[in-house]
């Protein structure tokens, strides 16, 4: 089975390539700029056709949440129009598309974990552009899986785990927001789930459960709890450590509003595909350990 994943430099694409390494049952081809540029829709079909995929994974996105408030046109061009073109290309090639979306399609006011049927109400441009992308993907290719995830981190790219470890190397205390809640989710686990789902799609040509799914780490925490576990785990493995000081969202104003509750229930995905992410604490340990040793400085600077 051959997967083409968009967003060559992204965490999910890098994690998919890593997950497929050494396996003889699956091949992952990462496709990115300049060959495929979501801001240039005319590049999409040719780049994906050249990859000869059995399944397309649509992981490329505009993810600068605050900057999106000033770059609305670009955010929508990439996250909505571009995502739709990827799904359309997959349909023209006769293959399913697996599209990555976000918890930011919700406004964060729900009590408890969001399920797939809850009303969407994005707070900012980024969330609105991703929600528009969901609609574009669904309209362009009936054979779609839209996977909403949250608080993504990995050994690759820029993310919260690597930021905390880098800051801990420079200071004794880090102030972190304590009144926003969600599910930290490892891109390594997202990649594993995608490969699991892709195998099901490949084996079941009559698969009927296309649609929207939530896919996030098991368990929840707030950002400061997430940070403490990262740094305590780092300390246990001889890495950098700092104390974490709780602050409120109002103490750390940002241009774009964030949902206070980003909890996602992944029960639907588990029920259909028989796969569930490990607890977020376990998954963080795997990534922090992987960033340890002599390669830590190089990894954290990436």
């Amino acid at each position: 089975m051959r997967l083409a994943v968009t967003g060559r430099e992204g965490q999910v694409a890098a994690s998919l390539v890593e997950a497929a390494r050494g396996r003889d049952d699956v091949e992952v081809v990462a496709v990115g700029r300049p060959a495929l540029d979501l801001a240039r829709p005319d590049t999409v079909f040719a780049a994906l056709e050249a990859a000869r995929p059995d399944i397309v994974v649509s992981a490329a996105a505009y993810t600068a949440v605050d900057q999106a408030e000033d770059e609305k046109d670009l955010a929508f061009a990439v996250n909505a129009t571009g995502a739709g073109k990827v799904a359309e290309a997959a349909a023209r090639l006769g293959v399913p598309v697996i599209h990555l979306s976000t918890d930011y399609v919700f406004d964060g006011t729900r009590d408890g974990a969001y399920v797939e049927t809850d009303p969407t109400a994005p707070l900012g441009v980024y969330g609105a552009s991703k929600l528009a992308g969901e609609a574009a993907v669904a309209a362009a290719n009936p054979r779609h899986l839209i996977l909403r995830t949250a608080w993504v981190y990995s050994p690759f790219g820029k993310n919260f785990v690597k930021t905390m470890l880098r800051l801990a190397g420079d200071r004794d205390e880090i102030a972190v927001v304590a009144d926003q809640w969600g599910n930290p989710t490892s891109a390594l686990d997202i990649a594993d789930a995608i490969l699991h789902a892709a195998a099901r799609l490949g084996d079941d040509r009559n698969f009927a459960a296309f649609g929207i799914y939530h896919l996030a780490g098991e368990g929840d925490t707030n950002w400061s709890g997430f940070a403490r576990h990262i740094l305590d785990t780092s300390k246990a493995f001889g890495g950098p450590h700092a104390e974490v000081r709780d602050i409120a969202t109002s103490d750390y104003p940002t241009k774009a509003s964030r949902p206070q509750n980003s909890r996602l229930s992944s029960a639907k995905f588990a029920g259909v595909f028989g796969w569930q992410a490990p607890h977020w604490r376990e998954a963080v340990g795997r990534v922090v350990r992987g960033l340890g040793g002599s390669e830590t400085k190089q990894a954290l600077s990436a």
Side-chain angles (χ1 to χ4, degrees), residues 58-69:
S58 173
Y62 179 107
T63 58
V65 175
D66 291 313
Q67 196 170 330
E69 297 298 310

Side-chain angles (χ1 to χ4, degrees), residues 2-15:
R2 186 178 176 92
L3 275 64
V5 56
T6 66
R8 183 165 47 204
E9 305 300 323
Q11 295 188 76
V12 171
S15 296

Side-chain angles (χ1 to χ4, degrees), residues 117-134:
T117 54
D118 281 327
T120 53
L123 296 175
V125 169
Y126 168 70
S129 69
K130 291 296 289 182
L131 183 60
E134 292 184 4

Side-chain angles (χ1 to χ4, degrees), residues 4 9 25 47 50 62 65 74 76-77 93 96 115 119 132 144 162 174 190-191 198 206 225 260-261 283 289 292:
E9 305 300 323
D25 62 332
Y62 179 107
V65 175
L74 179 58
F76 271 82
L93 294 168
V115 298
H144 63 268
K162 292 173 72 174
I174 306 171
I190 295 173
N206 297 312
Q260 285 197 292
N261 174 28
R289 285 195 300 272

